């Protein structure tokens, strides 16, 4: 059955958005990512204008991350304090990122910088997570016990972090950090996410795992919590200033994604932290390879719909 | 005196005009008619495009060209190019002026067999003619213009907004009259607006008559309400979108909880 989308101005078979929502929602519940880096290109592939795809995706992520956060909160996997501090940083970073895009556009090489940032960040994060979790899985197999990741290597870095002011205890995560740490790194992710036009979950998750040293299951729940608030803000701004949110498309997507997020959460509990990390790493690397292919192969059409602003 | 003469003159003038109109319409055969069966297409919730048939009567021995267009306008599209000789990305925008968003042309035979190029240009019939009318920016020379216009055609044909065919118009002769009929698929990608169907009767390489019909495409029902709200009540629309998403996420969470976490 086909439905007409009033803002995207196109007609779509309802099975497509519901199916896409289910798949990406599953990843969301499993890994604590919004999945924008997968969903937006897929929607464009199915004929949704790029700007509407990105804006509507953020609207459906509100639903998927509510569903996911709720599921994770029930099992005690959301560190609200950490999430709140990351949000402060992310909010400021987002504002900086939007200004950076304006400057880049004025300089005329925005697209190049954005694409390169995207590929490099995805590639580096994916490779690092892949290698690290592979090592961890090997070690745990050898020793038959849980592993604390690369603790000895960066003692100086750890000492530096401990010397920062405003040290505070994050109970749910079981870590003590300066509250500046999540704010600064949240800000860093916010800048990059705004630059790349994505939610930044795939960057936030590694920051929480490797820098904030949070346990993977709490990472997933907390990441979804802060994604929820980011996407509420983005959805409102997109609807208010750009008129790009398609309500019908969002509803179709969230029909799948809210259910997917619940299923993902349940599956996630059955997997170990290292297993979750390595699967996410593989997905991130596959997306990187796909983008590299898109950049190097001659496109079928040399013209595309402009952003429209 | 002057008044009487004036009124006589104006009567004479009116008569002359009437005669001229009769004469002109007479030479243009006055037989061609055009009717689109579906002149008001409503875009509703379940809209997935439509079909429009064009039919009418024409003088025997003439060929036909049927053109469906939206009003001329301009479009700005992203242009892809190679950066550093290796990577494909958006390198700028290309502006197309004096082009229609929708353009389809159907004819009884190949256009080149029916019309001399001057006539095609005059009436904007065929891709070559509309290329001549179009203004592209930025292009350095005609070669570049031709390259980017052909890309424009490929882009438009892929989104089903441009089409051309020949030999699909059914012709039947009866009682010294020739009737024609064509069924065209109306693409769902065509946005709301006024569209013009022009039928040209063609003989000996020239257009000898033409007739027009209109197709109005408009949004209706929930599609119209939502599209209007997204534009005119953007803040409310945004809030409703967010609250619905929150509600749906929470609701599904509750359902799964009630399900006892069976999944």
């Amino acid at each position: 059955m086909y439905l007409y989308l009033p803002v995207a101005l196109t007609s779509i078979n309802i099975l497509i958005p519901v199916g896409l929502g289910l798949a990406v929602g599953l990843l969301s519940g499993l890994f604590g990512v919004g999945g924008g880096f997968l969903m937006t290109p897929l929607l464009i592939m199915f004929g949704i204008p790029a700007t509407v795809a990105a804006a509507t995706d953020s609207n459906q992520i509100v639903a998927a991350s509510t569903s996911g956060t709720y599921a994770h909160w029930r099992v005690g996997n959301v560190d609200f304090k950490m999430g709140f501090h990351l949000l402060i940083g992310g909010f400021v970073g987002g504002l900086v990122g939007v200004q950076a895009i304006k400057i880049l556009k004025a300089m005329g090489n925005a697209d190049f910088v954005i694409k390169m940032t995207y590929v490099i960040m995805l590639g580096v994060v994916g490779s690092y997570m892949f290698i690290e979790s592979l090592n961890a899985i090997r070690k745990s197999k050898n020793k038959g016990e849980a592993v604390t990741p690369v603790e000895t290597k960066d003692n100086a870095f750890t000492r530096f972090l401990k010397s920062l002011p405003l040290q505070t205890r994050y109970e749910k995560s079981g870590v003590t950090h300066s509250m500046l740490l999540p704010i600064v790194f949240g800000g860093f992710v916010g800048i990059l996410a705004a630059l790349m036009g994505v939610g930044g979950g795939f960057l936030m998750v590694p920051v929480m795992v490797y820098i904030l040293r949070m346990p993977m299951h709490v990472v997933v729940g907390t990441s979804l919590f802060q994604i929820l608030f980011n996407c509420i803000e983005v959805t409102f701004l997109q609807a208010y200033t750009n008129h790009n949110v398609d309500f019908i498309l969002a509803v179709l997507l969230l029909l799948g994604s809210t259910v997917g997020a619940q299923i993902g959460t349940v599956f996630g509990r059955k997997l170990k932290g290292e297993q979750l990390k390595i699967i996410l790493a593989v997905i991130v690397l596959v997306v990187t390879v796909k983008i590299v292919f898109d950049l190097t192969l001659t496109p079928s059409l040399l013209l595309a719909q402009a952003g429209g602003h | 005196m002057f008044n009487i003469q004036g009124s006589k003159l104006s009567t004479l003038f009116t008569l002359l005009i009437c005669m001229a109109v009769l004469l002109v319409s007479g030479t243009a055969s006055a037989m061609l008619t055009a009717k689109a069966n579906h002149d008001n297409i409503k875009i509703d919730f379940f809209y997935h495009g439509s079909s429009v048939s064009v039919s009418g009567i024409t003088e025997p021995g003439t060929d036909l060209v049927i053109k469906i267009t939206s009003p001329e306008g301009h479009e700005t599209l992203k242009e892809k190019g190679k950066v550093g000789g290796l990577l494909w990305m958006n390198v700028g925008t290309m502006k197309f002026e004096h082009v229609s968003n929708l353009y389809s042309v159907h004819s009884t035979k190949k256009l080149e067999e029916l019309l001399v190029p001057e006539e095609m240009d005059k009436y904007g019939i065929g891709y070559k003619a509309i290329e001549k009318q179009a203004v592209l920016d930025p292009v350095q020379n005609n070669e570049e213009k031709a390259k980017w216009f052909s890309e424009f055609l490929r882009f438009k044909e892929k989104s089903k907004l441009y089409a051309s065919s020949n030999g699909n118009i059914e012709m039947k002769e009866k009682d010294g009259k020739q009737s024609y009929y064509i069924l065209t698929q109306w693409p769902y990608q065509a946005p709301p607006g006024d569209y013009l169907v022009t039928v040209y009767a063609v003989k000996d390489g020239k257009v000898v008559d033409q007739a027009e019909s209109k197709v109005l495409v408009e949004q209706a029902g929930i599609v119209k309400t939502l599209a209007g709200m997204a534009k005119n009540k953007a803040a409310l629309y945004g809030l409703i979108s967010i609250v619905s998403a929150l509600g749906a996420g929470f609701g599904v969470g509750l359902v799964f909880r009630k399900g006892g976490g069976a999944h």
Side-chain angles (χ1 to χ4, degrees), chain A residues 1-7 9-13 50 59-60 62-64 66-68 70-71 73-74 108 111-113 115-116 228 231-233 235-236 239-241 243 245-248 251 254-255 258-259 262-263 266-267 269-270 292 294-307, chain B residues 43-49 75-83 86-91 93-94 96 147-148 151-155 158 188-192 219 222-224 226-227 230-232 234-242 244-250 252-254 256-257 261-263:
Chain A
M1 188 171 78
Y2 287 88
L3 286 188
Y4 190 79
L5 308 174
V7 174
L9 295 180
T10 187
S11 167
I12 198 164
N13 185 335
N59 188 11
Q60 81 74 29
V62 170
T66 303
S67 174
Y70 182 67
W73 169 75
R74 269 178 17 221
D111 210 57
F112 182 77
V113 174
K115 278 265 163 64
M116 285 296 111
L228 165 62
C231 284
I232 287 177
E233 183 203 351
T235 304
F236 186 77
Y240 188 64
T241 53
H243 314 294
V245 175
D246 195 302
F247 185 74
I248 301 293
V251 168
L254 68 81
L255 282 178
T258 46
V259 175
Q262 292 286 334
I263 299 172
V266 176
F267 267 129
R269 264 186 278 158
K270 292 180 180 158
V292 171
D294 285 349
L295 283 172
T296 45
L297 297 177
T298 308
S300 63
L301 290 172
L302 294 184
L303 289 169
Q305 209 81 54
Chain B
I43 299 183
D44 57 18
F45 202 37
F46 299 104
Y47 180 71
H48 186 60
E75 280 188 46
T76 305
L77 296 173
K78 276 189 205 160
E79 175 192 336
K80 285 183 183 164
K82 261 190 173 180
V83 174
L86 185 70
L87 303 173
W88 285 95
M89 49 184 72
N90 297 321
V91 289
T93 53
M94 178 72 73
F96 295 82
K147 178 199 158 189
W148 284 107
E151 286 296 332
F152 177 76
L153 291 178
R154 291 206 309 133
F155 173 76
K158 186 130 194 236
Y188 61 79
Q189 291 91 340
Q219 293 178 328
I222 194 167
V223 171
K224 190 178 180 182
L226 284 173
K231 273 206 183 107
N232 306 322
L236 182 66
Y237 180 85
L239 286 176
I240 291 176
S241 304
I242 291 165
S244 313
L246 284 170
F250 205 63
V252 170
L254 281 176
F256 269 74
R257 187 187 185 184
H263 288 276

Side-chain angles (χ1 to χ4, degrees), chain B residues 27-42:
Chain B
T27 52
S29 80
M31 200 174 218
L32 185 65
T33 63
K35 186 174 175 3
N37 73 325
H38 213 155
D39 54 7
N40 190 351
I41 297 176
K42 300 262 189 220

Side-chain angles (χ1 to χ4, degrees), chain B residues 188-218:
Chain B
Y188 61 79
Q189 291 91 340
D194 280 314
Y195 295 84
L196 185 66
V197 179
T198 315
V199 181
Y200 300 93
V202 175
K203 206 171 187 180
D204 303 326
K206 296 210 162 170
V207 171
V208 291
D209 198 359
Q210 71 181 72
E212 286 178 354
S213 183
K214 278 192 175 163
V215 174
L216 171 70
V217 179
E218 58 183 352

